[in-house]
Amino acid sequence: MDTKQKYWNPVLETLPLEKIRQLQLKKFKQIFRWTYEHSKFHRQLYEQAGVKPDDIRSFEDIRQVPKVEKSMMRDIQRKEPFPYGDALCVPLEDVAVFRQTSGTTGQPVYQPDTWQDWEWWAECWSYILWAQGYRPQDRVFIPFGYNIFVAFWAGHYAAEKLGCEVVPGGVLDTKARILKIEELQATAMMGTPTYVLGMAETAKSKMGMDPSKLPIERITCAGECGASIPSTKRRMEQAWGAKVYDHAGATEIGAWSFECTAQSGGMHVNEALFLVEIEDVETGEIIDEPGQRGKMIITALDRQAQPCVRFDSKDVIEWADAPCACGRTTRLIKGGVVGRADDITKVKGVLLAPSAIEEVVRDIDGLGDEYEVVVQKDGDTDRIKLRVEVLPDAEDQCQLIENELVDQLRLKTNLRYDIEICGCETLPRYEVKAKRFKDLRKKE
Ligand SMILES: [Zn+2]
């Protein structure tokens, strides 16, 4: 691999859109036929809808293919044949890798992959890392125990595939990880935004270290929207003195999207490997034009053991209206994944995306990184309580901060909040993914 090469795959990343679409259609036909012929679950689903492999001739036809929801996968798993049920498309002995979803939205879903699928995972991540400037001279530190969650495993293998030197930071605690980064002079790191900010806080408050003095130059984020929220990204970049890049992926899907070094306010969809459709949540129509948000329906075009065909991801995205400055021809989604269809909720009749609150809180200088939002019923009205932490050197400016919060929140979300300003380090801390938004109305 020529390290001056700009793209991981110079052919596929610069194909004209028309050619990408031809390739996607061809690959969709193949993966649809594969699932139809090899999985009882998929075949039943498609027969009920009256769709056969020979019926797929255009993107219009693809829209007639039934979607698969996560709950459907949960229903068939752990049943006969154990443990993957009727969706497995290969003999059990061909399965080389077991992973599972994190279970943040319910019982985890198992994910089997063949060795070929696993090589495909590493290939997906190679596009990401190369686009974010990883090169063989990088020493990459991964500060997590990866366990059965897929993202950091795939990032790990891809970094090795690129020729980087990979340091797994598994069983160490946060302080030991920071010392290891310093000792080995690691240049790149992967993490969830919550943990990347948490590490910086630990370095500063518990170790008297300035993380921006460490040699980390680039950080790849996973697992949460934060790296696409401008104020959160800025906080991470300032704390670490590094470039922070977002990526999006999921255990059942693959790593389908990434920000490149041009940082043009969005993420590339890897369209040679995935077909992304955006569906209007109200009407079910497919949105092809920029500027309108909807939920993502996605197909992994090459994954075989437990395929992902028109999977209803619940990720909310929209197409960007301009191509990226980097020269890749694959389409961008504006502002990354803006939220989950499940999390976007109506409060007092107004649609609220929790990421909008994060954007405001982290844009205010005197506030810490943590916050907590609780929505509950007070009689017939919805109330939103927002707790934030004031930094020690801004304690005398609480009233100013509160006024700014109220103004900015009203401007960005059209809602009023009961604000509580708390002392430093009083709100809960999270190790990997955070749960900062609590909607108590759902339980009431
Ligand atoms: Zn780009």
Side-chain angles (χ1 to χ4, degrees), residues 260 262 268 324 326 328:
C260 67
H268 288 275
C324 185
C326 71
R328 286 180 181 79

Side-chain angles (χ1 to χ4, degrees), residues 5-300:
Q5 187 173 308
K6 193 170 173 191
Y7 310 113
W8 175 251
N9 188 318
V11 177
L12 292 178
E13 293 186 82
T14 56
L15 277 182
L17 186 61
E18 192 188 299
K19 292 259 192 258
I20 295 176
R21 298 298 269 170
Q22 284 172 8
L23 179 69
Q24 287 180 317
L25 184 58
K26 183 176 157 220
K27 282 185 162 192
F28 188 93
K29 288 182 197 173
Q30 287 167 352
I31 195 72
F32 183 73
R33 183 177 294 281
W34 168 262
T35 52
Y36 189 90
E37 289 175 354
H38 293 86
S39 142
K40 215 156 112 187
F41 159 74
H42 284 93
R43 190 181 190 119
Q44 269 171 3
L45 184 71
Y46 301 147
E47 278 179 347
Q48 275 165 14
V51 190
K52 292 191 192 62
D54 289 338
D55 297 338
I56 310 292
R57 288 180 213 94
S58 67
F59 284 93
E60 273 305 312
D61 297 331
I62 290 176
R63 292 169 191 182
Q64 309 310 314
V65 172
K67 290 172 284 190
V68 173
E69 301 216 8
K70 198 169 192 163
S71 58
M72 295 157 89
M73 299 307 293
R74 271 192 203 112
D75 287 346
I76 53 166
Q77 292 195 338
R78 298 167 178 78
K79 291 181 185 152
E80 288 305 312
F82 180 82
Y84 304 111
D86 284 332
L88 189 66
C89 286
V90 296
L92 203 49
E93 59 265 32
D94 287 358
V95 174
V97 189
F98 170 92
R99 310 275 182 231
Q100 70 177 43
T101 59
S102 61
T104 31
T105 57
Q107 185 181 316
V109 173
Y110 293 164
Q111 184 66 49
D113 280 311
T114 62
W115 185 248
Q116 191 186 330
D117 288 331
W118 189 240
E119 288 185 322
W120 166 84
W121 259 108
E123 181 68 6
C124 292
W125 264 85
S126 297
Y127 282 82
I128 299 171
L129 298 180
W130 197 266
Q132 298 179 347
Y134 288 68
R135 294 294 180 271
Q137 54 270 33
D138 274 303
R139 185 170 293 127
V140 183
F141 189 81
I142 310 181
F144 287 93
Y146 325 158
N147 198 306
I148 42 184
F149 306 132
V150 76
F152 299 115
W153 280 110
H156 177 131
Y157 277 67
E160 286 183 352
K161 183 170 172 173
L162 258 62
C164 303
E165 184 181 338
V166 183
V167 186
V171 293
L172 306 175
D173 68 9
T174 301
K175 285 183 192 170
R177 285 169 180 160
I178 293 164
L179 292 173
K180 204 77 192 161
I181 288 172
E182 186 183 39
E183 176 200 334
L184 293 175
Q185 297 285 293
T187 56
M189 184 168 86
M190 299 174 193
T192 60
T194 289
Y195 192 64
V196 169
L197 285 172
M199 279 176 94
E201 189 182 67
T202 300
K204 281 186 238 170
S205 68
K206 302 204 167 68
M207 303 167 75
M209 277 172 81
D210 177 358
S212 72
K213 299 280 191 303
L214 293 168
I216 296 286
E217 290 167 21
R218 60 188 65 84
I219 299 173
T220 300
C221 285
E224 296 173 323
C225 297
S228 280
I229 298 175
S231 57
T232 300
K233 183 199 276 287
R234 196 160 53 241
R235 282 189 177 219
M236 288 190 276
E237 291 196 330
Q238 280 169 1
W240 285 92
K243 283 284 178 193
V244 170
Y245 301 109
D246 202 4
H247 112 281
T251 315
E252 322 85 304
I253 301 170
W256 57 273
S257 179
F258 56 86
E259 196 179 5
C260 67
T261 49
Q263 290 191 311
S264 44
M267 293 203 293
H268 288 275
V269 173
N270 192 340
E271 295 193 282
L273 305 187
F274 297 90
L275 171 65
V276 164
E277 303 168 85
I278 305 179
E279 185 186 275
D280 187 308
V281 180
E282 310 262 307
T283 66
E285 294 288 315
I286 297 297
I287 302 164
D288 281 321
E289 298 304 314
Q292 194 193 339
R293 284 183 183 179
K295 64 174 176 172
M296 179 176 75
I297 310 298
I298 186 164
T299 301

